[in-house]
Amino acid sequence: MLTYFGLLIIILTIVAMIKKVESRLVLIAAGFIMAVAALAPMAAFNGLTKGMTESNLICNICSVMAFAFVMKYTGCDLHLSNAVSKPLYKVRLILVPGATFVTFFVNISLPSAAGVAAAVGSVIIPLLMRMGVHPAMAGAAVLMGTYGSILSPGLPHNPFVAEIATKVLQRDVPVMEVITRHSMASVTTVIVAGLLLWGVSIFLKEGKGYVPPTTTNEENFKVNPLYAVIPIVPVAMLITGALFPEQLPALAALRVEHTMLFGAALGLVATRKNPMDGSRQFFAGLGKGYADIMGIVIAAAVFVAGMKATGVVDAGIELMKTSEDAATLAALLGPWAMAVVCGSGNAATIAFNEAVTVSAPAFGVDVIDMGALATLAGCIGRCMSPIAGVTFVCAGLCGANPMELVKRTCLPCLAGLVVGYAMLIGF
């Protein structure tokens, strides 16, 4: 009976999240209800403590958010967005997939879907519309690329999977190892999705012919090459250190938070902005990262602790042990479905990885591959959700209904999911 009660609470939790009730509140409340029902309230409290003290997650996530705040303050994010979008003026034939690839690339350095949509979209969407692309297709092209953060150490799921893999494999698994493992699959999915979106634009005849009612002058923005490079510096340092640990031991020894602090300082020095205001922005970003992103990690830890107390997790794992396909399909469909219906795959993906991915070896699946699959599914699912915050940003910039954007990204997203599954798990 206790397990069935836990399942009922999980269903009610999903319903509440679909109705847009604050996700952290829902997860914490559900976790405590299940723990109390199991006569184990301390399980929920211990889950809270565990979530609040995940040191690696706090360092990675909060430092990246702090860096993003400084890049926005210095304006370096706009210089990067404009620099990478300029070549689109010369390649009218591939405007739609080009916009997707540009957004994906910038999102690696600025790992916020809504943030990169605002920074890149404000430049690229008017550009595409001026060059004849239908507004909804222009918005969809940017929306389709807003999961480039999957290749960033600042995406909460990457360090979270690294933390899980470290415990399961009983060796230190750095976040860059996780990213390297799924990088080829992630890049391939966006190439497939971008090209398919291009095909949709050709089929719908939305790649040319649109005449915008007004014109703007974003093309007159003067890009400073130094400013444009600065947002890329921390990620470049991490990648270089991971590729050449013996040749460059100093770079290999740097952690995510070290490179983000260096990048923020470099941005302030290069742009000669007020260092006191820059410091305030850096620490405001730290707090924002803990409140918005770590808050979901903490709430999910409480929720998972409640599920474990009722026996739901153990029952699900035993069921999945009967079939490797059942486990991998759950990793694919669970986070994807929640991202589509809730507008965010963060809570579902973190909860899934916390509850199920830790047992990946029992299913005959590599723990990093399974965690990466759940992460990819959640990220792609958000790109086809009509209620995601990033969808509203893109829709607002192009002046279209959010549903019109996801109608266009739906098929490319599904194709990307299939490709990602095939490359990470195989059929």
Side-chain angles (χ1 to χ4, degrees):
M1 285 298 294
L2 186 58
T3 301
Y4 288 118
F5 176 77
L7 287 172
L8 175 62
I9 296 299
I10 292 172
I11 293 171
L12 292 176
T13 300
I14 294 172
V15 171
M17 293 178 70
I18 292 173
K19 291 183 176 294
K20 305 300 288 182
V21 180
E22 213 282 322
S23 59
R24 291 165 293 188
L25 171 64
V26 172
L27 292 171
I28 290 177
F32 271 100
I33 290 172
M34 288 187 285
V36 170
L39 302 179
M42 282 307 298
F45 283 115
N46 291 335
L48 180 72
T49 301
K50 177 178 178 293
M52 293 180 71
T53 55
E54 293 281 7
S55 58
N56 286 339
L57 288 177
I58 294 171
C59 290
N60 290 334
I61 293 167
C62 294
S63 63
V64 171
M65 187 65 78
F67 173 72
F69 267 51
V70 175
M71 291 300 97
K72 185 175 181 61
Y73 168 66
T74 59
C76 290
D77 58 343
L78 286 178
H79 284 272
L80 174 61
S81 299
N82 278 273
V84 297
S85 65
K86 290 291 184 182
L88 290 179
Y89 283 99
K90 303 176 182 178
V91 287
R92 302 178 72 98
L93 182 64
I94 57 170
L95 281 174
V96 170
T100 296
F101 302 150
V102 164
T103 306
F104 187 89
F105 171 75
V106 176
N107 199 195
I108 299 174
S109 299
L110 304 173
S112 164
V116 80
V120 177
S122 63
V123 177
I124 290 184
I125 290 176
L127 164 64
L128 264 60
M129 291 167 62
R130 283 198 306 274
M131 300 183 78
V133 177
H134 187 279
M137 183 56 68
V142 172
L143 175 62
M144 189 70 257
T146 56
Y147 70 99
S149 57
I150 195 170
L151 297 179
S152 168
L155 182 74
H157 308 298
N158 285 322
F160 195 64
V161 172
E163 191 92 5
I164 291 172
T166 296
K167 296 174 183 176
V168 173
L169 302 177
Q170 297 185 337
R171 66 175 177 83
D172 181 46
V173 179
V175 65
M176 290 309 296
E177 180 178 340
V178 174
I179 294 172
T180 301
R181 180 75 71 85
H182 67 69
S183 60
M184 186 60 68
S186 299
V187 171
T188 303
T189 62
V190 77
I191 292 174
V192 170
L195 293 177
L196 266 178
L197 187 64
W198 185 24
V200 172
S201 71
I202 295 173
F203 178 77
L204 297 177
K205 299 180 180 179
E206 294 182 346
K208 59 182 180 179
Y210 174 75
V211 179
T214 58
T215 59
T216 54
N217 296 311
E218 285 86 357
E219 65 269 25
N220 295 325
F221 185 94
K222 301 299 181 183
V223 174
N224 184 310
L226 174 61
Y227 297 175
V229 168
I230 289 173
I232 306 172
V233 168
V235 174
M237 292 171 69
L238 290 169
I239 293 174
T240 304
L243 291 176
F244 307 102
E246 295 181 0
Q247 296 88 339
L248 300 169
L251 275 182
L254 291 176
R255 294 167 57 90
V256 172
E257 59 270 23
H258 303 158
T259 61
M260 295 302 159
L261 178 61
F262 176 82
L266 180 63
L268 290 172
V269 171
T271 59
R272 300 183 297 280
K273 290 286 187 177
N274 188 319
M276 292 190 294
D277 289 339
S279 175
R280 295 187 185 99
Q281 289 296 319
F282 186 87
F283 286 101
L286 283 176
K288 186 73 170 176
Y290 196 92
D292 288 1
I293 303 176
M294 280 304 300
I296 294 179
V297 174
I298 295 165
V302 176
F303 181 68
V304 170
M307 288 198 298
K308 288 180 177 178
T310 60
V312 171
V313 172
D314 290 338
I317 289 174
E318 287 300 318
L319 180 64
M320 290 180 188
K321 283 181 180 178
T322 62
S323 171
E324 176 184 326
D325 292 338
T328 54
L329 284 175
L332 178 75
L333 299 178
W336 168 78
M338 285 297 292
V340 173
V341 300
C342 299
S344 171
N346 284 345
T349 304
I350 290 173
F352 179 89
N353 283 333
E354 172 81 16
V356 180
T357 300
V358 291
S359 301
F363 314 137
V365 183
D366 183 88
V367 62
I368 298 178
D369 288 343
M370 190 169 190
L373 178 62
T375 299
L376 182 64
C379 289
I380 291 181
R382 185 190 61 232
C383 294
M384 54 186 297
S385 172
I387 60 173
V390 64
T391 306
F392 285 116
V393 172
C394 293
L397 288 171
C398 69
N401 187 297
M403 186 59 72
E404 293 303 311
L405 271 64
V406 301
K407 284 180 181 178
R408 290 159 174 79
T409 61
C410 182
L411 180 61
C413 282
L414 292 176
L417 277 178
V418 173
V419 170
Y421 182 91
M423 295 188 68
L424 288 170
I425 306 296
F427 288 108

